[in-house]
Amino acid sequence: VGRMNKKYKILIVEDQPITAMDIKQTIINLGYEVVGIAKSHESAIKKFEENIPDLVIMDICLNGEIDGIDTVKQLYKIKEIPVIYLTAFTDDVTIDRAIETNPSSYEIKPFNRASLNSSIKIAISKLNNNRYEEMNPNRVDLGHKYYFDMDTKELFYEDNYIKISSQESALLAMLIKAKGSIVSNKQIEYEIWGNNVISESSVRTLVWRLRTKLEYKKIETIPYHGVKLL
């Protein structure tokens, strides 16, 4: 399964059953999986260790001595993952303590479904990006689900490898390094063919070949001047 289709696992830590069910429904509606509902610090640690979720939604006020913020600190020792706090507390002391754990977001109770919805989506999308960078820091996201590996000079669509020639890959690397600026035809000619004499249409043909690999979406040609990556 490509990482795009992964079903993300979310743990809910919430001691009010009605709120917990409400959160659970929001998560299910988004197409993610709820791996458990914990009501206390102890049960949160246990369920976290059993399931290693991708995201935790954490109530700050929990049954028992240890609150949600200290619970998160314990969870981070097992694995650092994004956390969304839910709380009725809006005092500065609580908020400052929560901020120290670098949460993905902070939702005030009674929570608003649309707001929680977008917080979850944002946390998951960050997860996507970080996970990819952890896996391969040299993979550049070209948009439209295309990725280029600056190290191996390989092109991917989602997780599928797309075969490109060494010239095409050299051109793509140049365009990526230019960060959206125009790369002139002269520059392309020099970088790819050096001082070899080439026909007038060589650059055009090379650009055209690369564009077909990227479904025309990504490369813009500026007539008589050069090309740039969109």
Side-chain angles (χ1 to χ4, degrees):
V1 176
R3 71 181 181 100
M4 299 281 176
N5 319 338
K6 172 175 163 42
K7 195 155 191 183
Y8 288 92
K9 298 189 298 189
I10 301 176
L11 174 65
I12 301 167
V13 184
E14 167 61 67
D15 62 2
Q16 297 167 358
I18 293 171
T19 309
M21 291 318 289
D22 214 355
I23 298 168
K24 182 178 179 176
Q25 204 44 60
T26 302
I27 292 168
I28 291 167
N29 292 346
L30 280 170
Y32 304 124
E33 184 187 345
V34 175
V35 290
I37 296 175
K39 291 186 173 67
S40 66
H41 166 79
E42 291 74 19
S43 123
I45 301 285
K46 187 171 175 291
K47 289 197 155 101
F48 188 93
E49 282 179 326
E50 284 166 6
N51 300 292
I52 305 293
D54 296 296
L55 171 69
V56 173
I57 296 180
M58 177 68 70
D59 181 16
I60 289 181
C61 181
L62 296 174
N63 284 336
E65 293 290 298
I66 302 175
D67 76 358
I69 298 170
D70 287 327
T71 301
V72 165
K73 290 177 182 169
Q74 294 290 310
L75 296 180
Y76 281 170
K77 289 177 181 164
I78 305 165
K79 187 179 186 218
E80 288 216 16
I81 57 151
V83 169
I84 294 173
Y85 283 117
L86 279 181
T87 182
F89 295 112
T90 52
D91 62 285
D92 288 345
V93 175
T94 307
I95 290 176
D96 286 346
R97 281 183 58 230
I99 286 168
E100 275 172 27
T101 62
N102 196 12
S104 180
S105 60
Y106 195 96
E107 294 281 327
I108 305 298
K109 284 177 165 179
F111 78 91
N112 166 315
R113 273 212 192 100
S115 171
L116 179 61
N117 200 322
S118 57
S119 287
I120 294 171
K121 279 186 159 166
I122 289 165
I124 295 282
S125 74
K126 282 182 187 160
L127 204 64
N128 258 336
N129 298 338
N130 294 345
R131 178 155 298 173
Y132 233 37
E133 279 154 23
E134 274 165 37
M135 212 169 79
N136 194 334
N138 297 307
R139 253 192 176 187
V140 180
D141 184 348
L142 299 172
H144 294 105
K145 299 182 186 174
Y146 286 96
Y147 296 87
F148 183 69
D149 189 316
M150 293 295 276
D151 256 3
T152 61
K153 302 287 186 272
E154 291 172 326
L155 179 64
F156 296 86
Y157 176 72
E158 286 189 337
D159 283 338
N160 308 307
Y161 171 66
I162 299 174
K163 195 166 167 39
I164 57 176
S165 72
S166 58
Q167 287 186 344
E168 287 159 11
S169 109
L171 171 59
L172 187 49
M174 281 174 75
L175 292 171
I176 289 168
K177 283 178 188 152
K179 292 186 164 60
S181 311
I182 295 172
V183 177
S184 74
N185 295 339
K186 278 273 167 262
Q187 226 173 321
I188 296 171
E189 209 172 295
Y190 180 73
E191 291 271 334
I192 290 173
W193 287 277
N195 294 319
N196 297 330
V197 179
I198 55 163
S199 74
E200 240 171 72
S201 62
S202 298
V203 174
R204 260 206 324 272
T205 310
L206 176 59
V207 170
W208 177 78
R209 284 206 324 257
L210 183 58
R211 284 184 72 173
T212 58
K213 303 281 165 75
L214 288 167
E215 292 186 17
Y216 301 99
K217 290 174 186 144
K218 301 307 304 163
I219 297 174
E220 187 188 343
T221 330
I222 293 86
Y224 311 111
H225 194 68
V227 282
K228 67 176 186 179
L229 201 56
L230 297 175

